[in-house]
Amino acid sequence: MTAHLDSGTNPPAQLPRIGQHDPVAQQVPVLQHGGYDQLDDHELLRLHVAGNPDTFGFLVKRHRDRMWAVAIRTLGEPEEAADALQEAFISAFRRADSFRGDAKVTTWLHRIVVNACLDRIRRRQVRQADPLPEDEDRAAELAGPVEQDAAEVRERRLDVLNALKQINPDQRSALVLVDMEGYSIEEAASILGCAPGTVKSRCARGRARLLPLLRQWQTTRGGDSDLQDKASETAAGIMGTE
Amino acid sequence: MTDSGLPTSEHLEHLETDTIADLLENLLPAPEAHRAREHVKACPDCQLTYDALLQLSEDLADEGRSDIPMPADVAEHLDAVISAEAVRRASTVGVHSLAQIREEPHRHIPKLLGAAAAVVLIAAVGVGVVMATKDRAGENVANTNPTAILPTGVVSLTTAQIAPQVQQTLEGSSGVVLNASANEVSCAKSFAATRPNPEVRLVQPARIDGTRATILGLQGGSPRDIQVFVLTGCDAGGTTGTSIYDTTVTLRNR
């Protein structure tokens, strides 16, 4: 599915990666202020609130791959994810002064991104009930630039993203928050604006939908016999307590 | 096989995956949960499904811990949008963070100019949202803060973009935004004086569909309403503006 993407061997020069000093990128004047990579997130945000025009952009660069992952998993469509992230970051830019210093900046940003994604899902649900049709070419682009990851990592990422796209958006949001992003049921309920029981139910049903879609992925990872062995162990652990 | 006289797994239909998933989340009522649990213990197939569901959560958590590289075009566009936002904020900084500018003038002003330079650079790459600017800092009128050098310039817009641009600019500002030269502002104010409510909120030099014009925002009937006029004749030393387009914008959060 991804083979055609592997033809480009030269990574795009303008792709700045966190922690990697790209000589091309360093010639761009906006980065010449320098030294920001030494500052932690809190300090960058503090400077932004104090009026510094550069530090917020720096913060965005530092965390955009994490936030992209959240957005693309929740929304499934690159255009939607890009729009949601843009909204989220502009919103964060404008209300940075409301950030409480005792939290992690990433937690705060993450929450803003999640909310922007959920807003889009709600708006989309109003517009149309059906998910957008699957498109192989676009699906491949979901997994990000080719050159950065091993083929199997990309393959797995694509499988998960494509499987997530096939389940109902409510179940998907709950699963992304709880299983993938590690929010507690209560936190997810508060973000989603529904009862904890609803979140549990959406997660359960979402997993039941995903299972057949990802079973091949699971068995190829562990091998059938492995899975079976592991299965019996886990079962013994969990069922034995009853 | 079981203690309660339940049929053995061979005689029992397999559980639905939904039921097993519900069992894992403790969503089943007690008697049903008990029966399901007993069945899973006795039925290798359902046991497999049970464990596969557990494994699925772990695998999703694994996958969730990995970032996904943002595509280069999305990242570029996002950078441009953030830079534009920084310039927009800087252009109203006389209102917003005057205190900090006064505190640390040497620290801020070069960076404001840096941001303006960034926008020129990014506009060259061809991002639609971003203002195409010419550096006309010398002509600026800073209405509230004589020390702030406002990055300004002629914004290139289509007619359809006028209202959103005015909205975006004024929503980020709690005061008056004058991004034009003193002469252009004065010309726009003369036009405003002919209106029922001459309170000026915005004067922005613009190129609308290729025509050099001046966007004038006047306070409307309610605090959130802005009457927008597009004037010709106020640039290049003109003193009389003629409205070629008008609309009303309603601001949010105000």
Side-chain angles (χ1 to χ4, degrees):
Chain A
M1 182 192 292
T2 60
H4 65 286
L5 284 169
D6 294 327
S7 54
T9 47
N10 296 324
Q14 71 274 39
L15 191 74
R17 302 288 304 145
I18 306 307
Q20 174 185 325
H21 295 282
D22 180 341
V24 176
Q26 282 185 336
Q27 287 164 16
V28 179
V30 71
L31 297 180
Q32 280 179 355
H33 297 293
Y36 294 138
D37 48 355
Q38 309 294 323
L39 301 177
D40 69 18
D41 291 349
H42 278 93
E43 187 61 11
L44 287 174
L45 202 60
R46 192 191 68 74
L47 287 171
H48 165 70
V49 171
N52 185 305
D54 300 329
T55 52
F56 193 83
F58 213 84
L59 198 61
V60 169
K61 283 193 180 72
R62 186 177 283 175
H63 297 299
R64 66 186 174 200
D65 289 352
R66 176 96 284 265
M67 300 306 156
W68 178 252
V70 177
I72 198 73
R73 282 170 189 141
T74 313
L75 290 165
E77 294 295 326
E79 290 80 7
E80 291 266 311
D83 288 351
L85 274 192
Q86 185 175 315
E87 274 173 27
F89 280 128
I90 291 294
S91 164
F93 182 108
R94 293 181 184 171
R95 56 188 168 111
D97 54 354
S98 70
F99 170 71
R100 302 208 333 274
D102 51 353
K104 279 175 77 179
V105 173
T106 44
T107 309
W108 172 75
L109 267 181
H110 196 281
R111 183 74 179 254
I112 294 173
V113 169
V114 165
N115 282 329
C117 292
L118 294 174
D119 280 349
R120 293 196 86 79
I121 290 177
R122 289 184 196 112
R123 275 182 258 155
R124 191 160 74 186
Q125 281 172 336
V126 170
R127 285 202 310 271
Q128 55 172 62
D130 302 325
L132 294 160
E134 176 101 9
D135 178 334
E136 288 277 311
D137 291 333
R138 296 251 307 285
E141 125 195 15
L142 291 177
V146 181
E147 74 281 2
Q148 287 160 11
D149 298 296
E152 69 188 75
V153 173
R154 278 179 57 78
E155 200 67 35
R156 183 175 108 159
R157 179 182 295 156
L158 260 179
D159 287 346
V160 174
L161 287 172
N162 282 329
L164 281 170
K165 276 175 74 172
Q166 292 177 53
I167 67 173
N168 144 340
D170 288 333
Q171 295 171 349
R172 181 170 67 222
S173 310
L175 269 185
V176 169
L177 287 178
V178 175
D179 279 6
M180 302 193 78
E181 302 296 330
Y183 283 100
S184 71
I185 295 285
E186 288 70 25
E187 286 169 324
S190 128
I191 293 172
L192 292 166
C194 61
T198 309
V199 176
K200 283 180 161 199
S201 169
R202 286 178 184 172
C203 284
R205 297 306 162 97
R207 286 181 205 120
R209 295 290 94 73
L210 275 187
L211 191 63
L213 300 171
L214 288 173
R215 201 142 202 178
Q216 186 193 1
W217 169 50
Q218 287 196 305
T219 49
T220 50
R221 286 182 73 215
D224 266 325
S225 57
D226 264 359
L227 188 63
Q228 190 118 22
D229 288 345
K230 206 166 179 184
S232 328
E233 279 170 37
T234 340
I238 290 194
M239 312 297 271
T241 57
E242 291 298 316
Chain B
M1 183 143 198
T2 61
D3 50 352
S4 55
L6 282 168
T8 58
S9 61
E10 297 87 70
H11 304 112
L12 201 60
E13 294 219 343
H14 290 310
L15 295 176
E16 296 283 336
T17 310
D18 276 351
T19 309
I20 302 177
D22 285 354
L23 174 67
L24 274 163
E25 278 294 344
N26 292 318
L27 289 166
L28 298 179
E32 203 184 323
H34 178 77
R35 273 198 301 277
R37 211 173 276 123
E38 290 303 318
H39 175 93
V40 170
K41 272 188 199 173
C43 173
D45 284 349
C46 290
Q47 177 78 71
L48 263 182
T49 305
Y50 183 98
D51 291 305
L53 280 168
L54 275 180
Q55 184 64 42
L56 177 65
S57 284
E58 283 180 35
D59 290 342
L60 287 176
D62 254 6
E63 180 64 20
R65 277 187 282 275
S66 69
D67 294 350
I68 300 180
M70 179 181 278
D73 58 334
V74 177
E76 264 175 43
H77 184 78
L78 185 61
D79 285 351
V81 167
I82 298 291
S83 297
E85 184 68 13
V87 170
R88 196 197 54 74
R89 181 176 72 155
S91 73
T92 55
V93 78
V95 177
H96 268 290
S97 54
L98 190 53
Q100 287 98 11
I101 294 280
R102 283 200 179 121
E103 254 172 48
E104 308 174 89
H106 303 297
R107 187 165 170 187
H108 287 283
I109 287 172
K111 283 173 185 165
L112 298 184
L113 291 174
V119 166
V120 174
L121 180 83
I122 288 152
V125 185
V127 177
V129 206
V130 181
M131 307 173 186
T133 67
K134 282 194 285 186
D135 188 355
R136 295 164 48 128
E139 296 176 40
N140 293 342
V141 176
N143 62 310
T144 51
N145 177 14
T147 64
I149 297 170
L150 301 185
T152 187
V154 180
V155 185
S156 262
L157 300 170
T158 63
T159 311
Q161 289 170 327
I162 295 171
Q165 176 72 30
V166 169
Q167 189 172 9
Q168 193 193 8
T169 306
L170 288 179
E171 276 172 3
S173 152
S174 53
V176 179
V177 180
L178 303 177
N179 280 344
S181 68
N183 190 72
E184 197 166 346
V185 169
S186 150
C187 171
K189 281 184 171 169
S190 313
F191 177 89
T194 67
R195 306 296 310 170
N197 184 357
E199 189 187 338
V200 174
R201 288 290 307 278
L202 169 73
V203 179
Q204 173 70 54
R207 193 170 293 284
I208 309 294
D209 296 322
T211 305
R212 179 66 170 82
T214 309
I215 300 176
L216 168 68
L218 296 181
Q219 188 63 59
S222 91
R224 292 165 53 168
D225 284 341
I226 302 294
Q227 280 193 293
V228 181
F229 297 92
V230 175
L231 309 178
T232 53
C234 279
D235 62 311
T239 53
T240 314
T242 311
S243 172
I244 55 167
Y245 173 83
D246 63 80
T247 183
T248 303
V249 170
T250 303
L251 306 180
R252 295 164 296 196
N253 310 323
R254 197 163 281 278

